[in-house]
Amino acid sequence: MSFGKGCHLHLIDGSAFIFRAYHALPPLTRKSDGLPIGAVSGFCNMLQRYIDGNSASNDAPTHVAVIFDKGSHTFRNDLYDQYKANRDAMPEELRPQIPLTRRATEAFNIACKELEGFEADDIIATLSCQAREAGGRVTIVSSDKDLMQLVGGGVEMFDAMKNRRIDAEGVEEKFGVGPDRVVDVQALAGDSVDNVPGAPGIGIKTAALLINEFGSLENLLDRAEDIKQPKRRQTLIEKREQIKLSKKLVQLDCDTPLDFTLDDLEVRDPDPETLLRFLAEMEFRTLSKRIADALDAEAPVIPDTNPAGADPIDTAPDWPAIDPEAYEHVSTPAALAAWVERITARGYVAVDTETTSLNEMQARLVGISLAVEPGQACYIPIAHRDGASDDLFSSEALAEGQLPFDDVLAALKPVLENDAILKIGQNMKYDAKIFARHDITVAPFDDTMLMSYALNAGIHGHGMDTLSERYLSHTPIPIKTLLGSGKSAITFDQVPVTEAVKYAAEDADITLRLWQTFKPQLHREKVTTVYETLERPLSPVLARMERNGIKVDRETLSRMSGKFAQKMAQLEDEIHELAGRKFNVGSPKQLGEILFDEMGLEGGKKGKTGAYATGADVLEDLATEHDLPARVLDWRALSKLKSTYTDALQDHIDPDTGRVHTSYVQTGANTGRLASTDPNLQNIPVRSEEGRRIREAFVAEPGNVLVSLDYSQIELRILAHVADLPAMKQAFKEGQDIHAMTASEMFDVPIDEMTPDIRRQAKAINFGVIYGISGFGLARNLRIPRSEAQGFIDRYFERFPGIKTYMDDTVGFAKEHGFVQTLFGRKIHTPEISAKGPRAGFAKRAAINAPIQGTAADIIRRAMVRMPDAIQGQPAKMLLQVHDELIFEVSEDATDKLIETAREVMEGAALPAVKVDVPLIVDAGQGANWAQAH
DNA sequence: CTAATCACG
DNA sequence: GACGTACGTGATTAGC
């Protein structure tokens, strides 16, 4: 077929694929000889995923090519010798992989094109132009902004990572001008990554403004004299030649001399033999298996030629494909007994429960699935309802093919509680809570979600779908296909048993395979201790706390809601009065229009989306001159308290227990902290007087009190330890006011002459350091000039020289290893640490903060794990954790003892593994409600 | 479904 | 005058 109308050309930016693959994956090596192969592996996976994604679409390409750069010297270097001169050299491990990715492309039978002396971008430009002229469509698979000038007239881009198309509108969003003027804007703004000079002092925003005003770069340069701003005018006149050069550098070449035509790029099916031979040579076991399946060919045998001691990679064992049709539906006592026997003989089993709700307090158990080896899984339905009948009265009837509920639990209880049988789950906390309600204690257990968290925090999420896709190359049956979504969604007990078997047993099968995948990795990555001391034992502790819940007094909340509603209505009237018309106070968009368009206040700044910013900081500035923003701030404060707390919290009171049962997500925060959801009890107000009163609704049962114990300044203490700051350590040892001490050091003010304001500034700096301080951030926080903030930071580094060393060392470690570590060995991966552009700054600060925040998180985890045994026998229950605080409910005559015990556990939690150089101090409080206890 | 806003440590 | 910035979270609302 000759390329023309109706044809669709896909152009893949090969270099972008390679770099993404390289940075996204750990450094894999080929098993037989240690050849670095991670990028090739990622590249092949991305290519395969891309092909899969397209074959399913009805907009599949008719022509496709992967385009590579070739040679480091291009015509742009002749124009400007500094072009791309500030690029880092290619990493050593990546270099040998480049030719392999070309071979991979050819093995997939996809056209692979490059041209000496030209960048891939120019080839892509030329082909796009040719395709457009021929009347066809083009999709450029890349998110590189340098290619955005090509968009339009049937040419679009596709960001394969974000799975997002970029059309002319998307380009305009990014550059503020249409694709046809992108080059002009780039010429003015320059590009630090490619080292295109542009016009100094002009960025994308200003450039877009100028181009939109003058229509084109040429017109702008010709009429530069007309520009009002003196600085800008001068720059444009003086740097005229530099700007024109920049345009030449960013302008892609549509006339590269290609030695092939569009017709040569026609989509071709891969030759299974060629492709599989290549994959076998690379020793990609999982991928070759998957591709062999897809091509209906035999997977190649890859000999295990691992020389002694070398780390195995990609050890996809010889597993059968995941096949939902092959699972067993257990419906007879004999079949159940047979499974119990197999499990007992095997010594481990993957377990998963199906229930009617995600809320474990209300969920009813519907069925249980089990797996003993890959491909061998079953589902035992026990409470599916009979959906066949529409009869109103029989809708409660049970479906056919199910064993009696109690019989099944009675048969499984000895298995689930058997010390000699390991139970394997994905997020076992959920299943354990369900079983606990039927008086079954699941132990011992392993949890694949927690294993993944110990191994991969910072790299990817830990949900089963993510893990299955990533490690098993398999997309599990989406629950939506069974339950539907939205209003018409059904519960699992209404799912037909035959469908449930496929879904449920698949989950158990996947869980088992993940366990076998992760098990050897824990050891290899040296995170077994983290998993075994900080993750696995915490899960049952959290389950217990969640089941305990905390009593919340509905009356108190309801009364407060009423009061808030009244005050809000009053404020709303006043606001409308001041605005001169009615509008939705809760709409930032409408508020922005009122403030900046209608009332004409100064300082309106539009964000990326074109909306005015109306955040608290903006309104606070405006509040000094006008009443309206001040009223809006008051209204917002009340609105937040009412909607998020006094109203919403009432809906979370469990009708059976009268208590609120939060859910802790153990793998939610990369640093090791917990997250609390449904409801979030880790952000109950405390900073404002009005908000703090909400804590009065959190109460103890009659005869009991709430006790709160919290670590004092734990993160600063850890900082003093890890950064080795003698002055700060000394201050903590002497029990001094640490912020006052810092202020004294920094500003040479004696402690006894300290003013609250100086102390406040020092406190902000102390926190700033923990967050990976920047002059900009500190300036904004303290509302002082940036230069002054920078002065503070310089001085801090001078007075506490350990800080700078710590920061540099931490970032250096992250760059070398791709992760940072807590004092207890928890790894937090930092894949973006070597990124270019603004993301680098983000990653750096996160890397600096993670060991501090993470070590604090580890310490309280250790305390929590030890707590149940320590307080065993005392009339006390642990209810909540708020990062550095634990909340207990205790019989009122036993509080002193509880405080003594819990404090001892918390203060000694780092020991014996780590001896922190400063004492860890725990403050305690108690009272009838949380407000008093805190 | 995303962005804006704001609650916590 | 911006590449862009304090770290880590979750819930609610508006508005596409």
Side-chain angles (χ1 to χ4, degrees), chain A residues 775-899:
Chain A
F776 180 90
L778 184 66
R780 200 172 61 169
N781 188 289
L782 285 177
R783 295 171 172 256
I784 57 175
R786 195 173 160 173
S787 54
E788 199 177 327
Q790 193 55 52
F792 285 1
I793 294 170
D794 294 344
R795 197 169 175 82
Y796 195 103
F797 285 163
E798 233 170 74
R799 294 300 163 103
F800 302 98
I803 290 286
K804 190 84 176 76
T805 317
Y806 164 76
M807 290 183 158
D808 294 345
D809 288 356
T810 306
V811 171
F813 186 95
K815 281 195 175 149
E816 189 184 339
H817 296 99
F819 62 84
V820 292
Q821 270 180 305
T822 67
L823 288 183
F824 299 91
R826 173 187 303 283
K827 289 183 180 177
I828 297 114
H829 295 266
T830 55
E832 301 255 78
I833 196 80
S834 297
K836 285 272 166 261
R839 295 201 311 217
F842 251 115
K844 262 190 191 173
R845 292 192 297 272
I848 291 165
N849 172 262
I852 301 168
Q853 189 182 113
T855 298
D858 288 349
I859 289 175
I860 196 167
R861 276 173 178 242
R862 290 167 65 91
M864 292 169 75
V865 166
R866 293 174 187 178
M867 200 61 76
D869 279 348
I871 66 170
Q872 217 236 335
Q874 296 188 37
K877 286 187 282 197
M878 185 158 59
L879 308 186
L880 301 177
Q881 188 250 44
V882 191
H883 308 309
D884 62 358
E885 173 188 14
L886 291 175
I887 290 138
F888 297 81
E889 187 173 14
V890 198
S891 176
E892 59 189 2
D893 50 11
T895 55
D896 290 351
K897 175 91 170 102
L898 184 276
I899 290 173

Side-chain angles (χ1 to χ4, degrees), chain A residues 121-195:
Chain A
D121 290 0
D122 294 309
I123 304 175
I124 291 173
T126 305
L127 290 169
S128 297
C129 292
Q130 290 178 2
R132 185 159 47 192
E133 275 158 30
R137 290 168 52 225
V138 180
T139 297
I140 300 168
V141 184
S142 172
S143 56
D144 189 342
K145 61 180 176 359
D146 296 341
L147 289 165
M148 289 188 176
Q149 55 182 276
L150 301 172
V151 168
V155 180
E156 286 189 347
M157 289 174 66
F158 179 72
D159 183 341
M161 288 309 263
K162 292 184 182 151
N163 204 20
R164 211 168 54 189
R165 302 199 78 83
I166 303 166
D167 55 10
E169 213 169 285
V171 173
E172 188 153 358
E173 225 165 81
K174 170 105 189 156
F175 281 103
V177 295
D180 53 328
R181 292 288 163 220
V182 161
V183 184
D184 291 355
V185 168
Q186 283 186 295
L188 280 171
D191 183 27
S192 59
V193 178
D194 292 347
N195 212 21

